[in-house]
Amino acid sequence: MKRVITYGTFDLLHYGHVNLLRRAKEYGDYLIVGLSTDEFNWKSKHKKAYFDYAKRKQLLEAIRYVDLVIPEESWEQKKTDMKKYKIDTFVMGDDWKGKFDYLKDEGVDVVYLPRTPEISTTQIKTDLNEK
Ligand code: C2G
């Protein structure tokens, strides 16, 4: 069984996120999502998600491509996650291109996929504020 992992906040879940998850799943049979906890978001990404971790997790678990959601609590956990979950392929949107190449040393394929250009959580918030 080919195991794939990706990480993110996935706040205000939108079709750009689903496009990423669909394409990530094409690299294997089992897709794990490392979902940023509220604390990790605040402490390490300096952002506050609209939906809390439990709600973001519930939404992701409803997506057919997602097989398991685990908490992302630190930048460092990726290395151990690769072993812990026996990952074959690590996938991220290409806004992260190059940032996680070090994971190749853990024996995983590192794949950066083109983002869906016209949509983002920030854009949604901006558009809604202008309504
Ligand atoms: N994404 C995308 N297209 C968009 C928006 C997002 O392909 N229009 C992808 C991102 O590139 C990322 C994933 O969807 O791979 C999740 O996006 P975010 O929740 O914004 O993830 P981010 O806050 O960048 O956190 O350790 C990695 C971090 O947790 C990633």
Side-chain angles (χ1 to χ4, degrees), residues 6-11 14 16-17 20 23 34 36 40-41 45 47 72 75 78 91-96 100 113-120:
T6 190
Y7 296 79
T9 300
F10 295 97
D11 191 33
H14 55 68
H17 296 133
L20 189 283
R23 286 175 292 157
S36 309
F40 178 62
N41 267 329
K45 296 197 229 175
K47 64 183 186 179
E72 179 186 32
W75 295 112
K78 291 185 179 69
V91 176
M92 284 303 292
D94 61 3
D95 46 321
W96 292 91
F100 301 114
L113 297 173
R115 281 173 67 96
T116 303
E118 76 281 0
I119 183 80
S120 70

Side-chain angles (χ1 to χ4, degrees), residues 20-114:
L20 189 283
L21 295 169
R22 175 178 46 72
R23 286 175 292 157
K25 185 59 175 283
E26 288 168 6
Y27 283 84
D29 319 280
Y30 192 85
L31 175 62
I32 299 173
V33 178
L35 180 61
S36 309
T37 61
D38 298 326
E39 187 193 15
F40 178 62
N41 267 329
W42 184 246
K43 189 180 52 159
S44 306
K45 296 197 229 175
H46 313 299
K47 64 183 186 179
K48 187 176 180 332
Y50 180 80
F51 289 125
D52 68 17
Y53 178 80
K55 293 184 182 67
R56 290 182 284 118
K57 180 173 188 284
Q58 179 189 357
L59 285 162
L60 280 177
E61 287 173 338
I63 296 174
R64 69 174 64 192
Y65 310 118
V66 177
D67 296 289
L68 175 67
V69 178
I70 62 170
E72 179 186 32
E73 298 168 298
S74 74
W75 295 112
E76 296 74 26
Q77 76 177 72
K78 291 185 179 69
K79 277 185 77 167
T80 46
D81 283 351
M82 297 307 127
K83 286 190 200 69
K84 185 175 173 183
Y85 295 98
K86 301 180 179 56
I87 300 301
D88 298 288
T89 307
F90 167 89
V91 176
M92 284 303 292
D94 61 3
D95 46 321
W96 292 91
K97 192 167 181 56
K99 298 286 191 308
F100 301 114
D101 290 354
Y102 65 87
L103 292 172
K104 290 175 186 169
D105 300 343
E106 303 303 317
V108 307
D109 294 332
V110 174
V111 174
Y112 301 102
L113 297 173

